[in-house]
Structure formats: structure tokens, C-alpha cells
Amino acid sequence: MKYCSIRSDKYKGLTFEEAIFKGFPDDAGLILPEEIPTVTDEQLCAWSKLSYPGVVKEIASLFIDETEIPRTTLNGLIDKAFTKFRHPEITPLVQLKDGVQIFELFHGQTMAFKDLALSCVGQFLEFYLTRNKRHFVALVGTSGDTGSSAIEGVRGLNSVDIIVILPKGRCSAIQELQMTTAISDNVHVYRLDGTSDDLDEPISKCFMDKDFVDRYGIFSINSVNWARIMVQISHFVYAYLQAKVDRDTVVEIVVPSGGCGNITAGCIARLMGVPIKLVAAVNVNDIVCRFINNGDFTKCQTVTPTVAPSMDIQYPYNVPRLIYLLSNRNTKLLNQLIKEHEADGKMSIPSDLLEKIKSIFSAFRCDDELIKKTIKRCYEENEYILCPHTAVGMAYHYHQLSLGINEPNFKRIVVATASPEKFPEVAREAGISVPQSVEIRSLYEKPTRYIDMEKGQDWEHILRTKIMEIHEMRQNKIDHDKN
């Protein structure tokens, strides 16, 4: 298995190691496999008896050549990745009323679905960097959960420093505390006075400087990173297998969507041969909904803050991956569409491509009022509390019920992306009290450490300076140890 950039032929034939350390290639592309492997009915049947980590091992083995990471070593890395999850099944499915199931992906250390992939990414990084005796800097922008999950994935590693930039005041209080209380020598947290899209700009400028990236070993571990997407493919395979259906039954998986990394993984699972339907559920920052429903990828002037902050995004950076995959890897078309979008914030999806998109996806939009009503209804009917992002997916389920649609041979699964413990203020607004664990309560008592990036400052310069400082500090330590 080899990897390539979706924007040009400049990067082809990459190994898995090169793919996960590439981050943003300097052609402004993203990394994908050069081919998508096919999964047979016989393989799915054999995998139906596996645990979630077992499915991750099978999926990872399709995308990582054994000459890079031997299968026994790969299995050990994945086993180690899941040792700190709080639920014995790692990703349980919970049956609710009206036939819907909730796929709980939030039993990791930071109580968000990103813990699943990033726990594995941390193991892959440690494997390669320990072997190669190198130091890298992870540069990560976050709209909420990615930052804390990424920190936990690499916290304490000697071979990786992580710089996380979060949008000040636009995450939940607990999301922000999970990052600002993570005090470790290799963790550096910045609060930027702007939106999630604002913070992408200085990060992207750093990645576009190839010499700077190569010299200081900069890479990304948000959903730009292929390894994140690869592990998340397992979510959709495992959910389908746990639904325990025959081939004629339709399994619809509803995915709360922000940057579209998770639903991109679902698309790849579908292209591999897993017979699932996908629904992208979004809040009022609805560019993904418009993209899927009518090919409108017009960027709004502002990002609207909502009670589901991890989805407050107006440029879902994985959409180019979807366009590339569903246009039969048409790099020329992708570049044309991206140039249109860069010129005036608009993109017109060709009708044949839009038809292909609609054959795999549908989409649903939900405002804050409906999110709170959904949390309240789900609790009253099931005594089950949803986080606001998961509630966006559940709102789609209730909408479908209201239409009186009763399809035979059909199962619906809503992906639960985070624990409601992380968003107690939203539950309170819906009239529900969320019990909080000791881990969450203790966050309010811990010291914090962060640096604010104010409007008017040169944010790119701040990041570059910090990266150079980290490099000098690590190099001095290496020289000291040698002496």
C-alpha cells in the first residue's frame, strides 16, 4: 500500500510512515491511499466475531504494509492504544426507543470520539520516532475535542512536542480546561482570539513552507493526518457488524459532522464494500449540508457560535478528499473547484459528481433550539442524556419519525461523538442535570497553562518562533546528554 497527495503528482508512492508525517503537503493537498482495498462478504462475516480493537487491527493491516510494521508489532501497538478506555467494549452500542441505536465513541481519556484514533496515532508515532531517533513537532488546530485528544495521544513522549491552538471562548469550558490543564514539558497550548477557521490560516502558512517543515519536523495529527482517517474507518465497519444484519438490510449511520474527517472515513468504508448509508448531521454552520443536498459549497462570511462548538466550522477541510474519491481521483477537477472557492468563496459541484455524492450521503441541519429539544425528548423517552453534537444526529432520527417513514429491513445508528459530561451547561438549558465524574470535577481545581494570541498580532510569526524555540531546547538537551 502506497500513498499520494490529492492535489498533484508531486507526492506519489509514499510509505505509511511518510504519509502520517507529511501533514499538509506543500502542494496544499491531503494524503490518501493510491488505491482503496476491497472487503469481501466473507471477510465481514469473519470479522463479525471480533472486538472493536480486533476490527482496528484488520483495517490497519490493509493500509500498512507488513514490511513497515510487522503484523505482530502492529497488533501490539493497537492493543496498547486501548488500555486506558473506561468501557470494556470500548465502543458499545446502546439500544433506544423507536429502533435507533447510539454508537458510543466517547469512553477514552478525554471523553470524545477522537481518543479512539489518536490513541493509535500516538503509538504509531512512538514506534517510528523511537526507531529513527528523531524529534517532531505536532502543530494542531482544534474546534474543541481534537486538541485534548491529541495532547493525550502524545503527552509525555520525548520524541514529540505538541502545539495546540484553540479558539478562545468558543469551546465548552470543559473542552478548554482539558487542554489548558494538560501541563507537561512537551505540551504547548495557545488560545487564539478568533474562530476555528481563523486559526487554520497561520497553521496552513507554516505547513506551506516546505523548508521550514522539513527542518523542524512539523506534522499534523488532526483529521488532516491519514492515520486518523484510517482508524476511523473501523468505526463504520464495527458499527455495521454490530448491527447484526443480513446483506439485504440497510444500515444507516448518522454522523455529527464538523471537519468531515469521521464521515470521510465512513465514505471510504462504503467504497471498500461495507453496505452502509451515511447521513451528515450539522448545526447552523451548514456548508456540509448544502454541499451534499445541492452542491452549494459557498463559504459564509462568519462562523456562528453554537451549543455544539466542535461543529462550528465553515471550511470542512476533508471535503476535498471526498471530491477526489468520488470524482474517480480527478485531480484536475479538484484543483479547478478549489481555485474557484479560493477566488470568491464559492464552488459549483458538477451534476454528475453531485449525483455520486447523493448516492452515498444525505444531510440534515439542526439549530440550537432543536438541539436542546432533542436532548430533552431523548431523556424523557429513554432516560439517556445526549451531548449537543450527538443530539444533532438524534434530531435527524426524530425528523425522520415525524415523516412517518417506516422502511422494512432497516437499522439506524447515531454516532455519539462525546460524553454529555463535557457539555453540562447545554443539558441544564434543556432542563437536565448531568452527573459529573471525578475526572471532570477535578479539572476546575487544576492549575492552567496557556498563551493568548490576540487580534492584531502576527499569529504565524508566534507559531514559527515557538517551533524554533522548541527545536533549540530539544537540540540542547540532546547535546547535553551526549556529553
Side-chain angles (χ1 to χ4, degrees):
M1 178 62 70
K2 298 296 183 183
Y3 295 86
C4 63
S5 168
I6 64 175
R7 293 290 301 272
S8 72
D9 290 334
K10 184 176 181 180
Y11 295 102
K12 294 175 65 177
L14 301 177
T15 64
F16 177 72
E17 179 180 2
E18 290 170 329
I20 66 173
F21 283 108
K22 184 59 66 178
F24 287 98
D26 61 347
D27 65 356
L30 298 170
I31 300 297
L32 277 175
E34 291 186 350
E35 60 184 64
I36 302 297
T38 300
V39 174
T40 65
D41 289 348
E42 290 73 22
Q43 282 175 299
L44 289 173
C45 182
W47 294 352
S48 65
K49 302 175 181 63
L50 297 177
S51 64
Y52 174 79
V55 171
V56 175
K57 293 172 188 176
E58 296 300 327
I59 295 299
S61 71
L62 298 176
F63 291 98
I64 303 173
D65 196 282
E66 190 151 357
T67 58
E68 287 200 69
I69 304 180
R71 181 60 191 267
T72 53
T73 302
L74 178 64
N75 289 351
L77 294 175
I78 291 169
D79 282 336
K80 187 177 179 182
F82 295 115
T83 55
K84 295 182 180 179
F85 282 73
R86 299 187 309 276
H87 197 286
E89 295 176 37
I90 311 295
T91 57
L93 269 90
V94 178
Q95 185 71 52
L96 299 186
K97 256 184 88 175
D98 305 317
V100 69
Q101 290 179 299
I102 300 291
F103 189 29
E104 294 185 343
L105 303 185
F106 54 72
H107 293 288
Q109 283 187 286
T110 74
M111 302 182 183
F113 82 96
K114 294 167 184 179
D115 291 334
L116 292 159
L118 284 164
S119 61
C120 294
V121 173
Q123 293 301 313
F124 298 147
L125 296 177
E126 187 170 23
F127 170 79
Y128 283 121
L129 293 174
T130 300
R131 186 184 67 181
N132 299 336
K133 294 181 171 57
R134 290 202 62 189
H135 179 270
F136 274 73
V137 177
L139 184 56
V140 180
T142 182
S143 57
D145 287 326
T146 293
S148 54
S149 294
I151 287 169
E152 290 304 325
V154 302
R155 190 174 180 180
L157 296 182
N158 291 324
S159 53
V160 179
D161 274 72
I162 183 168
I163 299 173
V164 171
I165 307 97
L166 63 96
K168 180 181 178 181
R170 291 175 180 259
C171 304
S172 78
I174 290 171
Q175 284 178 314
E176 184 167 315
L177 283 170
Q178 285 183 325
M179 291 178 266
T180 59
T181 61
I183 297 175
S184 180
D185 286 347
N186 71 326
V187 176
H188 316 274
V189 177
Y190 288 81
R191 303 191 313 172
L192 179 142
D193 187 9
T195 70
S196 298
D197 289 327
D198 290 336
L199 62 83
D200 283 339
E201 184 176 347
I203 293 172
S204 296
K205 286 180 178 178
C206 288
F207 277 111
M208 290 306 103
D209 186 339
K210 183 178 184 300
D211 291 339
F212 185 72
V213 168
D214 291 345
R215 180 175 181 181
Y216 295 106
I218 307 167
F219 72 109
S220 173
I221 48 176
N222 61 11
S223 60
V224 164
N225 194 300
W226 161 250
R228 282 272 308 274
I229 305 293
M230 179 191 73
V231 176
Q232 287 170 179
I233 294 169
S234 307
H235 302 348
F236 297 88
V237 178
Y238 187 72
Y240 172 77
L241 296 174
Q242 289 301 298
K244 296 180 171 59
V245 296
D246 58 38
R247 190 77 184 188
D248 295 328
T249 300
V250 175
V251 176
E252 181 182 73
I253 302 180
V254 186
V255 189
S257 299
C260 284
N262 209 18
I263 207 163
T264 296
C267 177
I268 294 172
R270 167 73 179 262
L271 296 176
M272 290 172 70
V274 183
I276 53 176
K277 290 178 64 177
L278 296 166
V279 179
V282 304
N283 61 21
V284 295
N285 298 291
D286 62 353
I287 190 169
V288 174
C289 186
R290 290 184 278 112
F291 166 71
I292 291 170
N293 285 342
N294 54 32
D296 174 17
F297 199 67
T298 303
K299 187 176 181 178
C300 290
Q301 293 300 311
T302 59
V303 175
T304 302
T306 74
V307 297
S310 296
M311 304 162 75
D312 292 347
I313 291 172
Q314 271 300 337
Y315 186 78
Y317 44 80
N318 277 288
V319 165
R321 273 183 168 132
L322 295 175
I323 292 173
Y324 179 77
L325 288 167
L326 299 179
S327 66
N328 295 318
R329 298 174 178 265
N330 189 334
T331 298
K332 182 178 179 181
L333 172 63
L334 174 63
N335 284 327
Q336 175 189 325
L337 293 174
I338 290 175
K339 285 177 182 177
E340 283 180 21
H341 196 264
E342 289 173 344
D344 59 10
K346 298 179 180 179
M347 181 189 294
S348 300
I349 306 300
S351 57
D352 56 340
L353 176 56
L354 181 58
E355 185 177 340
K356 184 69 179 291
I357 291 167
K358 287 185 172 183
S359 72
I360 293 178
F361 302 101
S362 56
F364 177 78
R365 178 186 186 276
C366 181
D367 62 22
D368 278 5
E369 183 180 358
L370 184 54
I371 289 173
K372 294 171 192 175
K373 286 181 178 178
T374 300
I375 292 171
K376 182 177 179 64
R377 175 176 174 179
C378 184
Y379 183 73
E380 289 175 346
E381 293 183 357
N382 300 278
E383 293 188 356
Y384 187 91
I385 306 175
L386 303 167
C387 94
H389 307 82
T390 309
V392 174
M394 195 66 174
Y396 165 80
H397 170 67
Y398 290 145
H399 173 73
Q400 294 301 98
L401 290 181
S402 72
L403 298 178
I405 299 172
N406 186 19
E407 299 180 53
N409 301 321
F410 178 87
K411 281 202 173 186
R412 177 175 294 128
I413 296 171
V414 175
V415 173
T417 57
S419 168
E421 283 190 63
K422 298 185 75 169
F423 305 92
E425 61 278 5
V426 183
R428 281 196 296 270
E429 291 174 22
I432 299 164
S433 176
V434 181
Q436 289 195 321
S437 63
V438 173
E439 292 90 344
I440 291 293
R441 291 198 303 272
S442 68
L443 288 173
Y444 294 94
E445 301 168 1
K446 293 181 178 180
T448 59
R449 187 174 71 185
Y450 56 84
I451 297 171
D452 281 333
M453 298 168 70
E454 306 293 351
K455 278 189 168 65
Q457 292 182 311
D458 187 336
W459 295 338
E460 180 189 356
H461 177 72
I462 290 171
L463 295 179
R464 284 175 174 265
T465 300
K466 184 61 179 179
I467 289 165
M468 290 187 285
E469 286 176 358
I470 290 169
H471 176 78
E472 183 178 358
M473 178 185 67
R474 295 301 180 191
Q475 191 59 51
N476 288 341
K477 186 177 186 304
I478 291 170
D479 293 341
H480 179 271
D481 291 344
K482 284 180 181 177
N483 294 328

